[in-house]
Amino acid sequence: MCVPHKPPAIGPVKAAAMSTQTVHHATYDLLRRLELTTFFGNPGSTEQTFLRNFPDDFTYVLALQEASVVAMADAFAQVTGKPALVNVHTAAGLGNAMGSLVAAYDAKTPLIVTAGQQHRDMVLLEPYLANRDETMLPRPWVKWAYQPARAEDVPAAFMRAYAIALQPPAGPVFLSIPLDDWAKPALGTALVRQVSHRVAPDPHRLQAFAERINASRNPALVLGPEVDRAGGWEAGLALAERLRAAVYHPPLADRISFPEDHPLFQGPLPLTMAGISTRLAGHDLVVVIGAPVFRYYPFIDGPYLPEGTELLQVTCDPDTAACAAVGDSLLGDATLALEGLLDRVSAAPADRRSLTRLSWPRELPATPSNPLTPPEAYAALADVRPADAVIVNESTSTMVQQLEWLPTLRSGAFFATASGGIGWGVPGAVGVALGDRARGVHRTVLATIGDGSFQYSVQAIWTAAQHKLPIVFVVFRNGEYSILKSFAKLEEAPGVPGLDLPGLNIVSVAKGFGLRAVHANTALEIRDQVKFAIEAEGPTVIVVETQPQDAHLG
């Protein structure tokens, strides 16, 4: 993640000779000086020596399963703009966490993930709960995985983990630490180093990109998640308006980087080669900033770009640039690149064609449906959504309706999984709310979740209840995996089993975890219950029965 992280204001600290302080003391002191004092975890036996005498100035956020632990930390780090600490239980807990670790890696989120290892004196014997080949399990979904060769190296390993996690492209790192290391003598006070979190683009190549943009007759901008993460919302908006260029979201964006009600906004790109090529027809130049080129999913063959269309890409990630099928790339921070282009590009010529503003039919039936259609449910939510609410979406079959009725209008106001795996949305909403609280911001988190998605990390709502977080979980209950039925239709795969979800009593489950939970099956009930939930202390689950919705993937 290319985040505008402000490193802690600290001066150089010299490493001392061997002292009486322990590795445990030296590590917590290092984390304190790095201003990393919030842990997300689910403790196990091999981690208790690390967590013993937990300092009063640190916060431990307990989640009931490790996938939720990592997803909460992921969202928390994205909101605060700082690395987050994760503590899971040896190989078993890390295995549970892997799905969410994939999402954090794809989101370029700086996480320091730690797991306990068995006692060094027994590791050779492979005892119960030993983490075999301890650095292998999290790969390739971490930037670095390490078990210190000796106990004295643990604090320095944390410093290196911090540096690797934060430097672009940011991402999760992993440390395995034997449980007996914490009581060993430290080498002394750990050395704190400041590291860069931005990489400036090559000015000569940036100038060449600007010249190609100036020569374009009809350019298009694709502004991806890196823009919002890097704080580049205003710069992207200014560039689009100067060029009078059409602006698209990349396929399946997990962050939104341009106001979705703006006249230049033309919607998200499709997921397929053929669909993207068709959509970009008429543009002689496509400039992709902060996104892959492109994130495809269903295979519908076609050219990568329309004939005669060229492509430029700006990203902070060399791998993202290298795997692009077409186009010329420039490495650098999205905000710095946007600001550099603004200094170099000319205003749009007077004869540049005007765009047709993206509009939605917004047609609702005169007589309310029973059950409600997704547009009817979203329309009711739109009536009562607070202006500063943040959306966390994991209702994958209704993404079009979410864009239509609940457009994102400001930076940092939309979050979704970066990997496409189900189960991020519910704990992600918890992490967003905790991140807001940590930075002194109060806003309602409106989490729109499918009934299938809700089951994957349902235990995360317990953490929301314990912390009395301002989250409204709206669960669309259509009784099936609608997104998978849409894929089955697209892939001409009839008769796929396991796509229906009968017998789920979501309200009872939510109440069992300590939340207020209700059904709302009419537009009036939705509006009333959401307004009540916004004013209530703590989270609410609102279950809305809806008709299944084809996701229109083709």
Side-chain angles (χ1 to χ4, degrees), residues 285-323:
L285 180 67
V286 178
V287 184
V288 180
I289 301 178
V293 178
F294 285 101
R295 179 180 281 180
Y296 305 113
Y297 190 34
F299 179 73
I300 299 180
D301 201 9
Y304 295 118
L305 291 171
E307 185 176 355
T309 301
E310 297 182 347
L311 186 142
L312 304 175
Q313 181 193 29
V314 179
T315 176
C316 68
D317 187 351
D319 287 342
T320 297
C323 72

Side-chain angles (χ1 to χ4, degrees), residues 409-434:
L409 308 180
R410 56 182 56 83
S411 179
F414 176 88
F415 296 86
T417 179
S419 70
I422 293 176
W424 189 92
V426 174
V430 176
V432 169
L434 287 168

Side-chain angles (χ1 to χ4, degrees), residues 291-499:
V293 178
F294 285 101
R295 179 180 281 180
Y296 305 113
Y297 190 34
F299 179 73
I300 299 180
D301 201 9
Y304 295 118
L305 291 171
E307 185 176 355
T309 301
E310 297 182 347
L311 186 142
L312 304 175
Q313 181 193 29
V314 179
T315 176
C316 68
D317 187 351
D319 287 342
T320 297
C323 72
V326 291
D328 299 329
S329 65
L330 170 64
L331 291 176
D333 176 83
T335 298
L336 297 180
L338 286 165
E339 292 171 348
L341 289 173
L342 274 169
D343 290 338
R344 292 169 170 83
V345 300
S346 304
D351 60 351
R352 179 160 292 168
R353 69 178 185 137
S354 59
L355 295 171
T356 301
R357 183 169 185 161
L358 179 68
S359 62
W360 303 98
R362 291 203 167 197
E363 295 178 0
L364 299 176
T367 302
S369 306
N370 186 21
L372 295 175
T373 63
E376 289 174 299
Y378 274 108
L381 290 176
D383 289 339
V384 292
R385 174 178 67 163
D388 63 346
V390 56
I391 302 294
V392 177
N393 179 272
E394 196 169 277
S395 176
T396 50
S397 64
T398 66
M399 290 185 293
V400 172
Q401 288 71 42
Q402 184 265 315
L403 169 59
E404 177 183 0
W405 292 98
L406 299 176
T408 299
L409 308 180
R410 56 182 56 83
S411 179
F414 176 88
F415 296 86
T417 179
S419 70
I422 293 176
W424 189 92
V426 174
V430 176
V432 169
L434 287 168
D436 279 348
R437 182 171 290 177
R439 63 195 183 104
V441 172
H442 180 83
R443 56 180 178 167
T444 298
V445 179
L446 185 59
T448 52
I449 311 291
D451 53 354
S453 295
F454 194 75
Q455 309 311 311
Y456 277 68
S457 299
V458 65
Q459 68 285 117
I461 65 176
W462 177 86
T463 304
Q466 293 299 305
H467 291 266
K468 296 182 171 59
L469 298 175
I471 306 174
V472 183
F473 296 100
V474 180
V475 182
F476 297 119
R477 179 77 175 105
N478 59 23
E480 64 180 34
Y481 290 120
S482 287
I483 187 67
L484 296 182
K485 288 191 175 183
S486 297
F487 274 112
K489 179 181 177 181
L490 176 71
E491 296 164 355
E492 299 180 357
V496 175
L499 302 186

Side-chain angles (χ1 to χ4, degrees), residues 17-88:
M18 184 73 74
S19 69
T20 57
Q21 67 175 326
T22 62
V23 168
H24 183 275
H25 180 275
T27 301
Y28 274 92
D29 180 62
L30 171 71
L31 296 174
R32 186 178 288 111
R33 287 184 287 132
L34 291 173
E35 299 179 3
L36 303 181
T37 57
T38 300
F39 278 93
F40 292 81
N42 184 270
S45 54
T46 54
E47 290 71 43
Q48 291 189 37
T49 51
F50 174 40
L51 299 172
R52 76 181 190 277
N53 297 324
F54 196 70
D56 292 339
D57 59 329
F58 280 68
T59 300
Y60 189 89
V61 178
L62 174 63
L64 302 184
Q65 207 265 5
E66 289 90 351
S68 293
V69 168
V70 174
M72 288 177 194
D74 179 356
F76 179 86
Q78 291 193 51
V79 168
T80 61
K82 297 170 60 175
L85 299 169
V86 175
N87 184 236
V88 298

Side-chain angles (χ1 to χ4, degrees), residues 268-286:
L269 292 175
L271 305 178
T272 65
M273 298 173 190
I276 290 174
S277 181
T278 299
R279 190 71 180 281
L280 294 176
H283 296 294
D284 62 326
L285 180 67
V286 178

